[in-house]
Amino acid sequence: MAEQTGPAPMDRHETAMGLGPLSIFIRKLLNRSRLSTLDQQALANLPYKIQNLDVGTQILREGDRALVCPILLDGFTYRYKVAADGGRQIVALKVPGDALDFQSAYLHTADHDIRALTPVVIAMVPLRAIESLAEDRPAIARALLVDTILEGSIGREWLLNIGRRNAEARLAHLLCELYYRIDEIAGAPLDTYEVPITQEQLADLLGLTPVHINRMLKRLEGKGAIRSGRRLHILDLAELERISDFSDIYLHRNNVPA
Amino acid sequence: MAEQTGPAPMDRHETAMGLGPLSIFIRKLLNRSRLSTLDQQALANLPYKIQNLDVGTQILREGDRALVCPILLDGFTYRYKVAADGGRQIVALKVPGDALDFQSAYLHTADHDIRALTPVVIAMVPLRAIESLAEDRPAIARALLVDTILEGSIGREWLLNIGRRNAEARLAHLLCELYYRIDEIAGAPLDTYEVPITQEQLADLLGLTPVHINRMLKRLEGKGAIRSGRRLHILDLAELERISDFSDIYLHRNNVPA
DNA sequence: CGGCAACTTGACGTTGATCAAGCCATGTGG
DNA sequence: CCACATGGCTTGATCAACGTCAAGTTGCCG
């Protein structure tokens, strides 16, 4: 939980385009929105405080009124809700470059929890700073809106996945999505690729039980699509796409304006 | 499919506050955002074309690039996606006053379909008009963003519902949500209250089959919570809330700024 | 009055949950 | 460097929820 303040560059992250630690966030926005150099600079100059958090650390709690917007620089986090019987459902996964709780600027109380799925590095930005930036710079407001809309689109695909696909396809679909989302933030194309997630977390993501996840992983492994075990590797993306009838249009990967 | 253009008042809708046919839309936004009288006037003066559509009419198709934003004045519509095996999943329900496809202004192609659940009355507003209004008036941009964020919150609750609750609780939960959402747009508090939805549609909403929906409806009826049959009535909201462990915080019903 | 769409009900099948036991890697303290 | 504690993975046996198939029935609209 080491802290670090201000514009000091972090060595764990390539500070592409000389925009400092937040550059991964800005790059992410640029994938789906146009931002002028000035807009990018304004984003890079946002005040922030870096935090390193352990696995499982709670970042937002249902009922909270947040004052900072955490931006994920490294690692993974997830949103989740719990049912009356204690059943957990993960309702969103966030990858590096994502703003974790932009919406708290617009709603009184959080309707879900957020936790670190892996050890994470987070930049805490005061919500007010983001809000006023969005007010002054329409392009930034628009980029943040696009980000929000995109998360909605992913959520809808998850509803289809959980509501209508069987366990094997459901799992394969999630792995495909993870592949593309991580591929997007990685510099070079991914090769054999490792997913840092436990079987229990997969169960909470897919509305299944850990035992059944285990059996499905074995099945996919039998088909040569993945390597399972302590670490989870994607070996044959095309096979996973076939099994889950994957289509990437809901990720809107080609949304960059001309 | 009768059409009607311009500011001619429609007799099917109370034109509260003298803001014309779009007043229900404006009222809806006011439930969660503050808008000045000028903002409200600007919204009321949006150009539109009224359309009456039959049950089942497709309003948006996956892959489309929309140019108009349909605003629902009367009736219900739903967003849905279909899986490879033809299974349908309804991923959102829209009630009167909702903007149906605001997001098309920000994404290249639609990632889902929209259809009329009942006969509907819709105001077609050019997307460009809404976009430029949002650019000129930050409060309006903010109100539309709040609306988008709220839909995301509902989607997350649906993920929990479908992923983690059993069929009976799932159904009860949906009925509670419908009650509150319709209650919000109705002037007076609702009494015995009728849901205009078929069992097949309930199945598509909840990731279940029509037969199983039927059995669960009978079960809820046995507990005196609803009256089922040709029409579906909610008799005992408290019982439904108990069964589904319903909490309304995800609806953010008290989000009006002080 | 006839046709259709939605609802209803029963018998049976399958997917995925539950329960339970054991295994295997990692890391920690002695 | 070993012992053992721990968290996650693995596997089998059994069970329940929900799906499937099929045959009515009901109410509505032309």
Tab-separated table of all heavy atoms in Angstrom, chain A residues 23-72:
chain	number	residue	atom	x	y	z
A	23	SER	N	-0.912	7.951	-18.781
A	23	SER	CA	-0.928	7.793	-20.240
A	23	SER	C	-1.707	6.565	-20.682
A	23	SER	O	-2.352	6.568	-21.732
A	23	SER	CB	0.498	7.737	-20.778
A	23	SER	OG	1.109	6.531	-20.401
A	24	ILE	N	-1.709	5.513	-19.879
A	24	ILE	CA	-2.440	4.325	-20.295
A	24	ILE	C	-3.942	4.596	-20.340
A	24	ILE	O	-4.672	4.093	-21.201
A	24	ILE	CB	-2.146	3.117	-19.363
A	24	ILE	CG1	-2.751	1.850	-19.954
A	24	ILE	CG2	-2.617	3.362	-17.954
A	24	ILE	CD1	-2.370	0.597	-19.223
A	25	PHE	N	-4.384	5.429	-19.428
A	25	PHE	CA	-5.784	5.847	-19.395
A	25	PHE	C	-6.122	6.670	-20.647
A	25	PHE	O	-7.132	6.449	-21.324
A	25	PHE	CB	-6.010	6.655	-18.111
A	25	PHE	CG	-7.308	7.392	-18.012
A	25	PHE	CD1	-8.520	6.730	-18.170
A	25	PHE	CD2	-7.323	8.753	-17.724
A	25	PHE	CE1	-9.727	7.419	-18.045
A	25	PHE	CE2	-8.515	9.441	-17.602
A	25	PHE	CZ	-9.715	8.780	-17.766
A	26	ILE	N	-5.227	7.596	-20.968
A	26	ILE	CA	-5.453	8.452	-22.127
A	26	ILE	C	-5.419	7.637	-23.419
A	26	ILE	O	-6.258	7.814	-24.312
A	26	ILE	CB	-4.387	9.568	-22.160
A	26	ILE	CG1	-4.495	10.410	-20.878
A	26	ILE	CG2	-4.542	10.425	-23.395
A	26	ILE	CD1	-3.311	11.297	-20.623
A	27	ARG	N	-4.473	6.704	-23.480
A	27	ARG	CA	-4.387	5.847	-24.668
A	27	ARG	C	-5.671	5.053	-24.868
A	27	ARG	O	-6.171	4.894	-25.965
A	27	ARG	CB	-3.206	4.885	-24.508
A	27	ARG	CG	-2.181	5.014	-25.625
A	27	ARG	CD	-1.125	3.941	-25.521
A	27	ARG	NE	-0.426	4.005	-24.243
A	27	ARG	CZ	-0.045	2.940	-23.554
A	27	ARG	NH1	-0.292	1.715	-24.008
A	27	ARG	NH2	0.591	3.084	-22.412
A	28	LYS	N	-6.190	4.576	-23.746
A	28	LYS	CA	-7.432	3.816	-23.788
A	28	LYS	C	-8.573	4.653	-24.358
A	28	LYS	O	-9.337	4.199	-25.223
A	28	LYS	CB	-7.784	3.386	-22.359
A	28	LYS	CG	-8.834	2.340	-22.275
A	28	LYS	CD	-8.185	0.977	-22.237
A	28	LYS	CE	-9.204	-0.130	-22.297
A	28	LYS	NZ	-9.607	-0.558	-20.958
A	29	LEU	N	-8.680	5.878	-23.902
A	29	LEU	CA	-9.737	6.757	-24.408
A	29	LEU	C	-9.544	7.017	-25.903
A	29	LEU	O	-10.505	7.063	-26.666
A	29	LEU	CB	-9.755	8.089	-23.648
A	29	LEU	CG	-10.175	8.035	-22.176
A	29	LEU	CD1	-10.100	9.427	-21.552
A	29	LEU	CD2	-11.584	7.474	-22.020
A	30	LEU	N	-8.281	7.151	-26.299
A	30	LEU	CA	-7.992	7.449	-27.705
A	30	LEU	C	-8.394	6.293	-28.621
A	30	LEU	O	-8.595	6.481	-29.819
A	30	LEU	CB	-6.496	7.751	-27.884
A	30	LEU	CG	-6.073	9.141	-27.408
A	30	LEU	CD1	-4.551	9.252	-27.388
A	30	LEU	CD2	-6.681	10.232	-28.284
A	31	ASN	N	-8.506	5.098	-28.064
A	31	ASN	CA	-8.932	3.967	-28.882
A	31	ASN	C	-10.353	4.136	-29.403
A	31	ASN	O	-10.725	3.511	-30.397
A	31	ASN	CB	-8.866	2.666	-28.071
A	31	ASN	CG	-7.462	2.117	-27.997
A	31	ASN	OD1	-6.598	2.489	-28.784
A	31	ASN	ND2	-7.226	1.238	-27.034
A	32	ARG	N	-11.165	4.913	-28.718
A	32	ARG	CA	-12.560	5.023	-29.123
A	32	ARG	C	-13.038	6.459	-29.304
A	32	ARG	O	-14.190	6.693	-29.633
A	32	ARG	CB	-13.469	4.347	-28.099
A	32	ARG	CG	-13.169	2.888	-27.873
A	32	ARG	CD	-14.365	1.995	-27.952
A	32	ARG	NE	-13.971	0.614	-28.226
A	32	ARG	CZ	-13.036	-0.070	-27.590
A	32	ARG	NH1	-12.338	0.507	-26.650
A	32	ARG	NH2	-12.774	-1.314	-27.919
A	33	SER	N	-12.152	7.435	-29.038
A	33	SER	CA	-12.560	8.827	-29.138
A	33	SER	C	-11.401	9.672	-29.643
A	33	SER	O	-10.239	9.304	-29.464
A	33	SER	CB	-13.006	9.357	-27.769
A	33	SER	OG	-14.047	8.587	-27.233
A	34	ARG	N	-11.728	10.794	-30.238
A	34	ARG	CA	-10.687	11.718	-30.662
A	34	ARG	C	-10.465	12.765	-29.583
A	34	ARG	O	-11.416	13.341	-29.066
A	34	ARG	CB	-11.099	12.416	-31.944
A	34	ARG	CG	-10.712	11.658	-33.196
A	34	ARG	CD	-11.630	12.016	-34.329
A	34	ARG	NE	-11.216	13.250	-34.997
A	34	ARG	CZ	-10.191	13.320	-35.834
A	34	ARG	NH1	-9.452	12.255	-36.056
A	34	ARG	NH2	-9.889	14.439	-36.429
A	35	LEU	N	-9.205	12.989	-29.249
A	35	LEU	CA	-8.875	14.014	-28.262
A	35	LEU	C	-7.716	14.837	-28.808
A	35	LEU	O	-6.728	14.271	-29.279
A	35	LEU	CB	-8.460	13.368	-26.932
A	35	LEU	CG	-9.546	12.605	-26.168
A	35	LEU	CD1	-8.952	11.866	-24.983
A	35	LEU	CD2	-10.629	13.566	-25.697
A	36	SER	N	-7.854	16.153	-28.737
A	36	SER	CA	-6.777	17.013	-29.212
A	36	SER	C	-5.578	16.875	-28.286
A	36	SER	O	-5.685	16.347	-27.176
A	36	SER	CB	-7.246	18.468	-29.211
A	36	SER	OG	-7.391	18.910	-27.879
A	37	THR	N	-4.443	17.386	-28.745
A	37	THR	CA	-3.255	17.345	-27.897
A	37	THR	C	-3.503	18.087	-26.591
A	37	THR	O	-3.055	17.663	-25.524
A	37	THR	CB	-2.068	17.991	-28.640
A	37	THR	OG1	-2.029	17.448	-29.953
A	37	THR	CG2	-0.767	17.678	-27.938
A	38	LEU	N	-4.257	19.180	-26.690
A	38	LEU	CA	-4.561	19.938	-25.474
A	38	LEU	C	-5.412	19.124	-24.516
A	38	LEU	O	-5.198	19.128	-23.300
A	38	LEU	CB	-5.271	21.249	-25.831
A	38	LEU	CG	-4.363	22.343	-26.385
A	38	LEU	CD1	-5.186	23.576	-26.749
A	38	LEU	CD2	-3.288	22.700	-25.358
A	39	ASP	N	-6.415	18.427	-25.089
A	39	ASP	CA	-7.245	17.572	-24.245
A	39	ASP	C	-6.376	16.537	-23.542
A	39	ASP	O	-6.509	16.294	-22.347
A	39	ASP	CB	-8.304	16.850	-25.099
A	39	ASP	CG	-9.380	17.799	-25.612
A	39	ASP	OD1	-9.695	18.772	-24.895
A	39	ASP	OD2	-9.898	17.564	-26.721
A	40	GLN	N	-5.486	15.931	-24.314
A	40	GLN	CA	-4.632	14.894	-23.732
A	40	GLN	C	-3.759	15.464	-22.626
A	40	GLN	O	-3.593	14.850	-21.569
A	40	GLN	CB	-3.764	14.266	-24.825
A	40	GLN	CG	-4.562	13.508	-25.873
A	40	GLN	CD	-3.681	12.935	-26.978
A	40	GLN	OE1	-2.621	12.381	-26.698
A	40	GLN	NE2	-4.118	13.071	-28.220
A	41	GLN	N	-3.229	16.653	-22.876
A	41	GLN	CA	-2.397	17.287	-21.854
A	41	GLN	C	-3.205	17.573	-20.598
A	41	GLN	O	-2.742	17.369	-19.474
A	41	GLN	CB	-1.796	18.593	-22.385
A	41	GLN	CG	-0.508	18.410	-23.179
A	41	GLN	CD	0.602	17.770	-22.343
A	41	GLN	OE1	0.584	17.812	-21.117
A	41	GLN	NE2	1.553	17.136	-23.016
A	42	ALA	N	-4.428	18.044	-20.800
A	42	ALA	CA	-5.281	18.361	-19.652
A	42	ALA	C	-5.531	17.113	-18.819
A	42	ALA	O	-5.513	17.155	-17.583
A	42	ALA	CB	-6.604	18.948	-20.144
A	43	LEU	N	-5.746	15.996	-19.493
A	43	LEU	CA	-5.956	14.743	-18.768
A	43	LEU	C	-4.686	14.340	-18.014
A	43	LEU	O	-4.722	13.938	-16.854
A	43	LEU	CB	-6.361	13.631	-19.739
A	43	LEU	CG	-7.802	13.676	-20.235
A	43	LEU	CD1	-7.997	12.738	-21.421
A	43	LEU	CD2	-8.768	13.304	-19.112
A	44	ALA	N	-3.560	14.486	-18.707
A	44	ALA	CA	-2.293	14.079	-18.086
A	44	ALA	C	-1.987	14.927	-16.860
A	44	ALA	O	-1.321	14.474	-15.929
A	44	ALA	CB	-1.163	14.185	-19.105
A	45	ASN	N	-2.487	16.163	-16.850
A	45	ASN	CA	-2.201	17.057	-15.737
A	45	ASN	C	-3.191	16.938	-14.590
A	45	ASN	O	-3.129	17.708	-13.630
A	45	ASN	CB	-2.160	18.507	-16.228
A	45	ASN	CG	-0.949	18.765	-17.113
A	45	ASN	OD1	0.076	18.102	-16.954
A	45	ASN	ND2	-1.081	19.708	-18.027
A	46	LEU	N	-4.098	16.000	-14.688
A	46	LEU	CA	-5.017	15.778	-13.566
A	46	LEU	C	-4.205	15.462	-12.307
A	46	LEU	O	-3.200	14.753	-12.381
A	46	LEU	CB	-5.943	14.598	-13.867
A	46	LEU	CG	-7.179	14.859	-14.726
A	46	LEU	CD1	-7.810	13.537	-15.172
A	46	LEU	CD2	-8.194	15.710	-13.975
A	47	PRO	N	-4.640	15.983	-11.182
A	47	PRO	CA	-3.956	15.617	-9.935
A	47	PRO	C	-4.285	14.175	-9.570
A	47	PRO	O	-5.392	13.720	-9.855
A	47	PRO	CB	-4.562	16.578	-8.907
A	47	PRO	CG	-5.899	16.926	-9.454
A	47	PRO	CD	-5.761	16.896	-10.965
A	48	TYR	N	-3.355	13.478	-8.988
A	48	TYR	CA	-3.622	12.088	-8.617
A	48	TYR	C	-2.676	11.656	-7.512
A	48	TYR	O	-1.671	12.317	-7.232
A	48	TYR	CB	-3.437	11.155	-9.811
A	48	TYR	CG	-2.044	11.172	-10.371
A	48	TYR	CD1	-1.074	10.313	-9.848
A	48	TYR	CD2	-1.684	12.054	-11.374
A	48	TYR	CE1	0.215	10.348	-10.344
A	48	TYR	CE2	-0.402	12.099	-11.859
A	48	TYR	CZ	0.555	11.244	-11.336
A	48	TYR	OH	1.832	11.282	-11.816
A	49	LYS	N	-3.046	10.548	-6.915
A	49	LYS	CA	-2.183	9.941	-5.916
A	49	LYS	C	-2.094	8.449	-6.240
A	49	LYS	O	-3.116	7.787	-6.387
A	49	LYS	CB	-2.762	10.145	-4.522
A	49	LYS	CG	-1.758	9.918	-3.422
A	49	LYS	CD	-2.420	9.833	-2.049
A	49	LYS	CE	-3.293	11.033	-1.697
A	49	LYS	NZ	-3.800	10.921	-0.300
A	50	ILE	N	-0.882	7.943	-6.379
A	50	ILE	CA	-0.717	6.535	-6.744
A	50	ILE	C	-0.855	5.642	-5.514
A	50	ILE	O	-0.327	5.963	-4.453
A	50	ILE	CB	0.671	6.299	-7.367
A	50	ILE	CG1	0.859	7.128	-8.631
A	50	ILE	CG2	0.885	4.804	-7.653
A	50	ILE	CD1	0.144	6.612	-9.827
A	51	GLN	N	-1.578	4.530	-5.670
A	51	GLN	CA	-1.671	3.554	-4.589
A	51	GLN	C	-1.450	2.149	-5.120
A	51	GLN	O	-1.980	1.795	-6.170
A	51	GLN	CB	-3.049	3.622	-3.925
A	51	GLN	CG	-3.247	4.852	-3.074
A	51	GLN	CD	-4.461	4.725	-2.189
A	51	GLN	OE1	-5.246	3.787	-2.326
A	51	GLN	NE2	-4.618	5.671	-1.279
A	52	ASN	N	-0.678	1.376	-4.365
A	52	ASN	CA	-0.527	-0.045	-4.680
A	52	ASN	C	-1.405	-0.827	-3.715
A	52	ASN	O	-1.256	-0.706	-2.496
A	52	ASN	CB	0.926	-0.478	-4.511
A	52	ASN	CG	1.805	0.124	-5.594
A	52	ASN	OD1	1.888	-0.407	-6.686
A	52	ASN	ND2	2.427	1.258	-5.291
A	53	LEU	N	-2.312	-1.623	-4.229
A	53	LEU	CA	-3.237	-2.344	-3.361
A	53	LEU	C	-3.071	-3.844	-3.532
A	53	LEU	O	-2.803	-4.346	-4.624
A	53	LEU	CB	-4.683	-1.955	-3.686
A	53	LEU	CG	-5.017	-0.460	-3.618
A	53	LEU	CD1	-6.477	-0.228	-3.982
A	53	LEU	CD2	-4.708	0.106	-2.243
A	54	ASP	N	-3.274	-4.567	-2.429
A	54	ASP	CA	-3.170	-6.026	-2.445
A	54	ASP	C	-4.406	-6.662	-3.086
A	54	ASP	O	-5.460	-6.031	-3.183
A	54	ASP	CB	-3.048	-6.554	-1.013
A	54	ASP	CG	-1.731	-6.144	-0.386
A	54	ASP	OD1	-0.769	-5.926	-1.146
A	54	ASP	OD2	-1.676	-6.029	0.852
A	55	VAL	N	-4.249	-7.927	-3.446
A	55	VAL	CA	-5.389	-8.713	-3.925
A	55	VAL	C	-6.528	-8.615	-2.917
A	55	VAL	O	-6.305	-8.709	-1.713
A	55	VAL	CB	-4.999	-10.201	-4.060
A	55	VAL	CG1	-6.192	-11.014	-4.548
A	55	VAL	CG2	-3.839	-10.365	-5.006
A	56	GLY	N	-7.729	-8.445	-3.412
A	56	GLY	CA	-8.895	-8.490	-2.540
A	56	GLY	C	-9.229	-7.192	-1.842
A	56	GLY	O	-10.288	-7.072	-1.229
A	57	THR	N	-8.359	-6.185	-1.930
A	57	THR	CA	-8.653	-4.907	-1.283
A	57	THR	C	-9.934	-4.309	-1.855
A	57	THR	O	-10.144	-4.288	-3.055
A	57	THR	CB	-7.510	-3.904	-1.523
A	57	THR	OG1	-6.284	-4.486	-1.127
A	57	THR	CG2	-7.752	-2.618	-0.739
A	58	GLN	N	-10.785	-3.839	-0.949
A	58	GLN	CA	-12.034	-3.237	-1.400
A	58	GLN	C	-11.780	-1.791	-1.817
A	58	GLN	O	-11.165	-1.014	-1.091
A	58	GLN	CB	-13.056	-3.283	-0.272
A	58	GLN	CG	-14.446	-2.938	-0.751
A	58	GLN	CD	-15.499	-3.775	-0.076
A	58	GLN	OE1	-15.267	-4.352	0.978
A	58	GLN	NE2	-16.672	-3.860	-0.689
A	59	ILE	N	-12.244	-1.424	-2.976
A	59	ILE	CA	-11.974	-0.104	-3.526
A	59	ILE	C	-13.206	0.779	-3.447
A	59	ILE	O	-13.127	1.992	-3.318
A	59	ILE	CB	-11.479	-0.238	-4.983
A	59	ILE	CG1	-10.145	-0.987	-4.989
A	59	ILE	CG2	-11.330	1.116	-5.650
A	59	ILE	CD1	-9.702	-1.453	-6.349
A	60	LEU	N	-14.378	0.156	-3.507
A	60	LEU	CA	-15.637	0.906	-3.369
A	60	LEU	C	-16.640	-0.009	-2.691
A	60	LEU	O	-16.635	-1.217	-2.912
A	60	LEU	CB	-16.176	1.317	-4.751
A	60	LEU	CG	-17.492	2.106	-4.757
A	60	LEU	CD1	-17.284	3.529	-4.270
A	60	LEU	CD2	-18.111	2.119	-6.155
A	61	ARG	N	-17.486	0.584	-1.843
A	61	ARG	CA	-18.461	-0.215	-1.111
A	61	ARG	C	-19.865	0.281	-1.434
A	61	ARG	O	-20.110	1.477	-1.534
A	61	ARG	CB	-18.190	-0.078	0.387
A	61	ARG	CG	-18.673	-1.230	1.255
A	61	ARG	CD	-18.226	-1.004	2.695
A	61	ARG	NE	-16.794	-0.760	2.793
A	61	ARG	CZ	-15.886	-1.726	3.025
A	61	ARG	NH1	-16.277	-2.962	3.185
A	61	ARG	NH2	-14.603	-1.421	3.097
A	62	GLU	N	-20.789	-0.649	-1.609
A	62	GLU	CA	-22.180	-0.280	-1.869
A	62	GLU	C	-22.670	0.670	-0.787
A	62	GLU	O	-22.444	0.430	0.394
A	62	GLU	CB	-23.055	-1.549	-1.890
A	62	GLU	CG	-24.520	-1.249	-2.171
A	62	GLU	CD	-25.336	-2.531	-2.361
A	62	GLU	OE1	-24.765	-3.624	-2.252
A	62	GLU	OE2	-26.543	-2.417	-2.627
A	63	GLY	N	-23.314	1.739	-1.211
A	63	GLY	CA	-23.812	2.715	-0.252
A	63	GLY	C	-22.861	3.876	-0.035
A	63	GLY	O	-23.245	4.919	0.468
A	64	ASP	N	-21.597	3.697	-0.444
A	64	ASP	CA	-20.617	4.779	-0.321
A	64	ASP	C	-20.978	5.959	-1.209
A	64	ASP	O	-21.647	5.809	-2.230
A	64	ASP	CB	-19.222	4.299	-0.760
A	64	ASP	CG	-18.486	3.590	0.355
A	64	ASP	OD1	-19.067	3.397	1.423
A	64	ASP	OD2	-17.316	3.222	0.125
A	65	ARG	N	-20.490	7.111	-0.794
A	65	ARG	CA	-20.507	8.261	-1.673
A	65	ARG	C	-19.045	8.571	-1.977
A	65	ARG	O	-18.318	9.084	-1.112
A	65	ARG	CB	-21.179	9.430	-0.950
A	65	ARG	CG	-20.995	10.761	-1.604
A	65	ARG	CD	-22.304	11.242	-2.163
A	65	ARG	NE	-22.161	11.924	-3.401
A	65	ARG	CZ	-22.955	12.936	-3.762
A	65	ARG	NH1	-23.910	13.340	-2.968
A	65	ARG	NH2	-22.794	13.497	-4.930
A	66	ALA	N	-18.615	8.267	-3.174
A	66	ALA	CA	-17.199	8.401	-3.504
A	66	ALA	C	-16.808	9.847	-3.799
A	66	ALA	O	-17.615	10.638	-4.288
A	66	ALA	CB	-16.875	7.517	-4.707
A	67	LEU	N	-15.583	10.189	-3.487
A	67	LEU	CA	-15.067	11.519	-3.786
A	67	LEU	C	-13.895	11.471	-4.747
A	67	LEU	O	-13.479	12.485	-5.285
A	67	LEU	CB	-14.633	12.221	-2.489
A	67	LEU	CG	-15.785	12.487	-1.510
A	67	LEU	CD1	-15.262	13.047	-0.198
A	67	LEU	CD2	-16.790	13.443	-2.148
A	68	VAL	N	-13.357	10.280	-4.937
A	68	VAL	CA	-12.258	10.143	-5.882
A	68	VAL	C	-12.653	9.136	-6.961
A	68	VAL	O	-13.473	8.271	-6.747
A	68	VAL	CB	-10.955	9.639	-5.222
A	68	VAL	CG1	-10.411	10.671	-4.269
A	68	VAL	CG2	-11.194	8.316	-4.533
A	69	CYS	N	-12.050	9.316	-8.116
A	69	CYS	CA	-12.246	8.363	-9.193
A	69	CYS	C	-10.949	7.577	-9.338
A	69	CYS	O	-9.922	8.124	-9.725
A	69	CYS	CB	-12.568	9.093	-10.490
A	69	CYS	SG	-12.702	7.966	-11.884
A	70	PRO	N	-10.958	6.293	-8.996
A	70	PRO	CA	-9.746	5.496	-9.126
A	70	PRO	C	-9.546	5.115	-10.591
A	70	PRO	O	-10.479	4.685	-11.245
A	70	PRO	CB	-10.046	4.244	-8.291
A	70	PRO	CG	-11.434	4.415	-7.740
A	70	PRO	CD	-12.086	5.512	-8.498
A	71	ILE	N	-8.346	5.301	-11.076
A	71	ILE	CA	-8.027	4.897	-12.441
A	71	ILE	C	-7.023	3.757	-12.380
A	71	ILE	O	-5.978	3.875	-11.728
A	71	ILE	CB	-7.495	6.082	-13.246
A	71	ILE	CG1	-8.656	7.071	-13.465
A	71	ILE	CG2	-6.934	5.625	-14.591
A	71	ILE	CD1	-8.250	8.349	-14.120
A	72	LEU	N	-7.355	2.680	-13.051
A	72	LEU	CA	-6.560	1.458	-12.936
A	72	LEU	C	-5.357	1.538	-13.862
A	72	LEU	O	-5.501	1.633	-15.081
A	72	LEU	CB	-7.449	0.262	-13.298
A	72	LEU	CG	-6.889	-1.133	-13.038
A	72	LEU	CD1	-6.453	-1.280	-11.586
A	72	LEU	CD2	-7.941	-2.172	-13.390
